Amino acid sequence: LRLVGSEMCIRDRLKLYMILGFLFTAVLGTVWHFLYDWTGRGAIAALFFPVNESTWEHMKLIFFPMLLSSFFLSARFKEEYPCLPGALLLGDLLGTLSIPVIFYTYKGIVGRSFLAADIAVFLAGVLIAFRTAWVLKESPAVCQYRNLIYLFTVLSAVLFFIFAFLPPAIGLFAEP
């Protein structure tokens, strides 16, 4: 990391915080997997934590921990990088959506799932989320469409809340 005088450059500081955000999201997402059971399987816990082993519920492992990272990073760097909040949320959406895409692709090729591969899918999703945010942090298009990104983020959270209790009868929501 480059230093200017005794302080880190803003870009390098953001890079460091993004790496820490990746680690925070990866670790919290891993713990997130168990929190529904650990908290007594309550209705409020069901909104945020996976209630079963379906692919849909596993998408919460990225969505909500990344959302927390996004709030922190956006608050910390909003003045220097005004497009960062939208970039982080778009990254969150893409990372979350990558879980079923990568999971069903590898499972379709191999014929079954493996725990190590499932963990790699999760980590790939977190990497996609943060890489997207990093690449688009200064994107004028992200700034221009940020309200749409915010809308899709809220809509995703609402769908996670609804489908925790009323999952559709399709494969994405079925337990393996």
Side-chain angles (χ1 to χ4, degrees):
L1 297 173
R2 290 174 291 155
L3 297 177
V4 175
S6 63
E7 289 194 35
M8 239 188 265
C9 294
I10 279 293
R11 182 178 172 91
D12 290 338
R13 190 175 305 136
L14 176 60
K15 183 186 284 186
L16 174 62
Y17 275 72
M18 293 283 269
I19 291 167
L20 293 173
F22 169 87
L23 294 172
F24 171 83
T25 302
V27 170
L28 187 60
T30 302
V31 172
W32 214 258
H33 188 274
F34 306 101
L35 287 175
Y36 179 64
D37 288 331
W38 292 352
T39 59
R41 298 177 161 249
I44 300 227
L47 298 174
F48 300 99
F49 310 129
V51 299
N52 61 43
E53 292 297 318
S54 72
T55 305
W56 172 263
E57 288 294 320
H58 278 77
M59 292 165 65
K60 291 178 181 178
L61 300 179
I62 291 180
F63 185 79
F64 289 110
M66 176 71 182
L67 196 58
L68 293 174
S69 291
S70 297
F71 290 150
F72 174 79
L73 289 166
S74 294
R76 175 65 184 85
F77 292 98
K78 66 183 171 194
E79 289 184 27
E80 299 90 352
Y81 293 94
C83 299
L84 184 62
L88 286 161
L89 293 178
L90 183 58
D92 191 6
L93 292 169
L94 292 176
T96 300
L97 290 173
S98 73
I99 286 186
V101 170
I102 299 170
F103 174 74
Y104 287 119
T105 300
Y106 104 74
K107 187 178 173 190
I109 293 169
V110 176
R112 62 187 282 275
S113 63
F114 297 91
L115 180 60
D118 295 346
I119 293 168
V121 167
F122 164 70
L123 293 173
V126 177
L127 182 61
I128 288 166
F130 277 93
R131 182 65 182 155
T132 298
W134 179 259
V135 169
L136 298 177
K137 68 187 177 294
E138 298 176 280
S139 168
V142 168
C143 280
Q144 180 181 355
Y145 293 106
R146 81 173 144 237
N147 289 336
L148 189 59
I149 295 167
Y150 297 163
L151 175 67
F152 278 114
T153 301
V154 170
L155 178 61
S156 295
V158 168
L159 291 174
F160 279 123
F161 296 162
I162 292 169
F163 294 153
F165 301 102
L166 302 168
I170 61 173
L172 182 64
F173 299 88
E175 289 200 60

